[in-house]
Amino acid sequence: MARIRIRLGEKTKTLSVGALLIYLGIGVLFLCIFWQFSYLMINKTLDDEDLVAHGHDKFSRTAVNEGQRGEILDREGNVLASDMEAYRLALITDSDYPNHVTDPKETAEALAEIIDMEASEIKERIEEGIEEERFQVELGKKGRDISYNQKNALEDAEIPGLVFEAETKRFYPNGDFASHLIGYAEKGEGTDELEGQLGLERAYDDLLQGEDGTTDYTKDLWGYIVPGTDTVEPPKDGADMKLTIDSNIQLYLEDSLDTMEEHFEPEELFAVVADAESGEILASGQRPSFNPRTREGFGNSWLNMLYQYSFEPGSTFKVFGLAAAIDAGVYDPNATYESGSFDVNGHTIYDWEEEGWGNITYNEGMQYSSNALMMILQDKVGEDAMLDYYRKFGFGEPTGSEFPNEQSGTLAWDDPLQRKTTSFGQTSTVTPIQMIQGMTAILNDGKMKKPYVVESITDSATGEVLHKGEESVVRQVISEEAAQKTQEEINTFVGGSMERNPQYQLDDYEVAGKSGTAQVIDPEGGGYMDGPYEFLTSFIGYAPEDDPEVIVYYGVKLASKNKQDTWDIGVMPGFNPLMERTLKYLNVGGADDDQTAEVTEVGDYSGKKLSEAAPASADTIQTIVVGDGEEIIDHHPKNDRLLPYETFFVKTEGEAKMPDLTGLSKREAIMFGTFMDMDVSTEGEGYVRSQSIAPGTVLGDEAAVEFTLSSNDPAD
């Protein structure tokens, strides 16, 4: 092999060509490595990838600090909607993982006892996961929104393979409670954020929505957080919304709707309670409705009937034509006319009693709710002037409420026949909120008040008021004198000289108002439905009649049961208890000026003895106690009032046992569940007849109870 001699100073070294090439190759290699490291150090990239960013991604972490959605509260600060922690359940089906499902059948049966899902369906899902070699399976909607109590019960059962992931859900403690007004929020598709889907939750989603914060930090090779590397950006909670709704009055309204639904089984029901002086909405509800907690009934109706339901009101609309005639100076209560019918361009329009009542006074005609009289008054006022009055009362345009898609209704004024039928509430359409708004003009010296339901919206962090709902005058519709005279006339419509509508009289209060029976459009054949008692029956009333404080507007459409009652007694089964309970709750004086409402003031008795709690010793209050001790741990309500025959729930020290809830209303049964943090399910309507947990059972691990209801009060 060839050799090369290399002289190094006085010495000569002989290398083979192969060795020289090896040395040169090693030198070139180290030179390339040095060049590569130098390049990386200077440019910090490799194959167009940012190495600094790559290292940052590998060792840097970001945790999300979730911002809470703002609360929705009633006028007293009681929570109507808030965020709460729930859990999503997963089952590990990978046998290589230490904690996995070992017996699908046993696991399914244990789960079915606690969550609302059939054991066979759970077992099928587990077996599918095992067969498809999946790491875990979930149970869809039934496996989400697991409550804290349910999670504890499942963990106590020591079922292998269960994993819980915490998540935020929107909680509605009262269930079916002004549901279309409040609305609901849920996580949107493809997002982990709660988003308003209906009602106020949707209308004010941008303000209620919280903003997430972050915590950035760095981990080392062993997974430990590097000290001093964390940077926190705190979350921002959404704004809190306080409503004008009063939870107690809303409770009375929901109970009355349940009564009406049971009695009539109608196509639709609505009711609204308003402050006669300010226009504040104190309660509002409808049927069909839904429970935002369980979604039961969801989809039966999308309309918020208070603002989005337009309909022909019938004779309740006559009060506005009456007010216009009085303001125009053409109404004399003692003037007479021939009742029975009225001709319009060859068409004869009859009173509801086609023969009429002979020659009667205007006031008697109003008591009889005469269509002929309304058409006579419209002619006296003048059609153009009457249209202007209706518009001043707010009909034909939205009230400018908090809901962006509020309906405007229509004033049908295209031809003489439409104009005449509008005078008695047919052809033209209105919304319930318009009727409330118009009535405030009559009850406030002609000044029409704008109804509102949002009292305030407040920044939860700073306390800054972002929106303030306030009493406001829309316009002066009629003169003060005309408003007072109109009210005097309306005061004769219930139990007046003609003894009309006596069913709306209350023992303790003088109620005034106007009933209405409107024909309903046939959605299939056109025209009006002509079957027996196929009406929309309503009543708009106020009390006390001499100094009105409350307006209640109540309607029932197309009853399928007890149909004749819609003609004979109208909406009395719902209107009367709602009006009476509301007035007593508000401590409004009645027909006897010396009368005071029988209410029991409730304080905060936590830590005190049961014998020291005023409601527990009241003869008219039912007290239900959980616990066998004397010291009170908690109670409901608190710092509030109770009306006669309402229920006072108390939790005392000692062993908690299931009480006998027979005779409680559906609403009170649900209230008990909320108080005890138990899931409540009901079957039927009315009052509690039986319960799944027997009275006297120790409430150890019990997380749910089912009540069977009956339409008849078992306590009677």
Side-chain angles (χ1 to χ4, degrees), residues 100-125:
H100 66 276
V101 175
T102 55
D103 187 332
K105 182 175 183 295
E106 183 178 320
T107 298
E109 290 175 349
L111 285 174
E113 292 182 3
I114 297 174
I115 67 174
D116 183 22
M117 195 170 180
E118 295 293 333
S120 58
E121 187 179 355
I122 300 174
K123 179 173 175 289
E124 182 180 346
R125 293 205 184 192

Side-chain angles (χ1 to χ4, degrees), residues 46-77:
L46 179 64
D47 295 334
D48 296 326
E49 181 177 354
D50 189 329
L51 296 177
V52 175
H54 179 77
H56 184 271
D57 291 343
K58 184 173 182 179
F59 296 104
S60 297
R61 298 288 185 271
T62 297
V64 176
N65 305 321
E66 192 170 304
Q68 297 293 301
R69 190 174 178 85
E71 292 184 325
I72 299 179
L73 313 167
D74 79 345
R75 67 191 299 118
E76 300 297 334

Side-chain angles (χ1 to χ4, degrees), residues 221-477:
L221 287 172
W222 295 274
Y224 295 104
I225 297 176
V226 178
T229 63
D230 57 318
T231 303
V232 179
E233 181 183 338
K236 182 179 179 181
D237 293 341
D240 293 329
M241 175 184 289
K242 179 179 279 192
L243 307 184
T244 60
I245 296 295
D246 187 296
S247 286
N248 289 297
I249 298 175
Q250 185 67 39
L251 175 63
Y252 307 151
L253 183 144
E254 298 289 352
D255 279 342
S256 77
L257 288 174
D258 287 342
T259 299
M260 290 286 284
E261 189 171 39
E262 172 70 24
H263 186 78
F264 288 117
E265 294 182 4
E267 181 178 294
E268 291 171 333
L269 271 170
F270 68 83
V272 56
V273 182
D275 186 304
E277 297 179 3
S278 68
E280 292 173 289
I281 302 302
L282 303 177
S284 174
Q286 65 190 71
R287 299 290 184 270
S289 186
F290 69 97
N291 186 331
R293 287 175 62 183
T294 64
R295 298 295 193 272
E296 180 184 356
F298 184 70
N300 291 334
S301 174
W302 297 100
L303 288 180
N304 177 344
M305 295 182 72
L306 180 59
Y307 298 97
Q308 298 173 316
Y309 181 54
S310 58
F311 57 97
E312 298 180 32
S315 294
T316 51
F317 194 69
K318 292 175 180 176
V319 297
F320 305 109
L322 168 66
I326 292 174
D327 190 67
V330 300
Y331 180 86
D332 178 357
N334 298 313
T336 60
Y337 75 104
E338 190 64 33
S339 63
S341 63
F342 190 91
D343 290 330
V344 182
N345 289 353
H347 297 276
T348 301
I349 300 177
Y350 294 95
D351 281 324
W352 60 266
E353 184 70 67
E354 292 190 6
E355 295 79 9
W357 305 273
N359 191 270
I360 57 177
T361 66
Y362 282 9
N363 174 256
E364 290 171 339
M366 290 304 305
Q367 290 188 54
Y368 278 122
S369 194
S370 168
N371 296 337
L373 174 60
M374 298 313 301
M375 291 182 279
I376 291 171
L377 293 177
Q378 181 169 286
D379 279 350
K380 286 180 174 291
V381 173
E383 289 183 341
D384 291 342
M386 184 64 82
L387 176 61
D388 187 52
Y389 274 113
Y390 289 149
R391 286 174 173 163
K392 285 182 179 179
F393 273 112
F395 298 107
E397 63 180 18
T399 63
S401 70
E402 298 89 345
F403 289 85
N405 53 351
E406 180 188 347
Q407 295 297 300
S408 62
T410 58
L411 285 171
W413 217 256
D414 293 337
D415 58 62
L417 188 59
Q418 287 183 335
R419 295 194 281 273
K420 287 299 188 292
T421 54
T422 290
S423 71
F424 52 87
Q426 295 286 172
T427 312
S428 291
T429 62
V430 302
T431 62
I433 197 69
Q434 288 175 331
M435 294 289 287
I436 291 291
Q437 178 178 257
M439 185 58 76
T440 64
I442 295 172
L443 303 182
N444 288 280
D445 296 330
K447 298 180 179 68
M448 188 165 71
K449 304 296 181 71
K450 180 181 177 180
Y452 64 102
V453 72
V454 177
E455 181 176 308
S456 64
I457 301 177
T458 307
D459 188 301
S460 57
T462 65
E464 178 188 359
V465 178
L466 307 176
H467 169 84
K468 179 68 175 176
E470 295 179 320
E471 179 181 342
S472 61
V473 176
V474 180
R475 66 180 69 92
Q476 183 83 35
V477 179

Side-chain angles (χ1 to χ4, degrees), residues 59-240:
F59 296 104
S60 297
R61 298 288 185 271
T62 297
V64 176
N65 305 321
E66 192 170 304
Q68 297 293 301
R69 190 174 178 85
E71 292 184 325
I72 299 179
L73 313 167
D74 79 345
R75 67 191 299 118
E76 300 297 334
N78 300 306
V79 174
L80 303 179
S82 66
D83 285 1
M84 69 172 293
E85 189 174 72
Y87 301 89
R88 184 171 64 204
L89 172 64
L91 297 95
I92 307 299
T93 53
D94 185 350
S95 59
D96 293 333
Y97 192 77
N99 178 30
H100 66 276
V101 175
T102 55
D103 187 332
K105 182 175 183 295
E106 183 178 320
T107 298
E109 290 175 349
L111 285 174
E113 292 182 3
I114 297 174
I115 67 174
D116 183 22
M117 195 170 180
E118 295 293 333
S120 58
E121 187 179 355
I122 300 174
K123 179 173 175 289
E124 182 180 346
R125 293 205 184 192
I126 296 173
E127 291 174 341
E128 282 180 3
I130 295 173
E131 291 172 6
E132 296 173 6
E133 298 182 349
R134 292 159 60 186
F135 177 74
Q136 70 180 44
V137 296
E138 296 189 17
L139 303 179
K141 187 176 180 180
K142 299 293 180 66
R144 302 190 68 170
D145 294 342
I146 302 295
S147 70
Y148 179 75
N149 284 343
Q150 288 176 312
K151 172 179 174 287
N152 283 347
L154 290 169
E155 289 177 336
D156 291 344
E158 298 183 350
I159 305 169
L162 302 191
V163 177
F164 297 94
E165 181 179 346
E167 57 183 7
T168 300
K169 65 172 288 189
R170 197 66 166 165
F171 180 59
Y172 301 90
N174 299 308
D176 191 344
F177 192 87
S179 300
H180 283 80
L181 184 69
I182 298 168
Y184 76 98
E186 66 180 8
K187 292 182 178 179
E189 293 185 16
T191 176
D192 203 39
E193 299 290 336
L194 286 169
E195 298 176 355
Q197 305 293 326
L198 195 72
L200 291 167
E201 290 272 30
R202 180 174 181 176
Y204 288 88
D205 186 62
D206 57 337
L207 291 175
L208 291 168
Q209 188 73 259
E211 296 179 11
D212 292 342
T214 57
T215 299
D216 298 323
Y217 58 94
T218 301
K219 281 190 172 184
D220 60 21
L221 287 172
W222 295 274
Y224 295 104
I225 297 176
V226 178
T229 63
D230 57 318
T231 303
V232 179
E233 181 183 338
K236 182 179 179 181
D237 293 341
D240 293 329

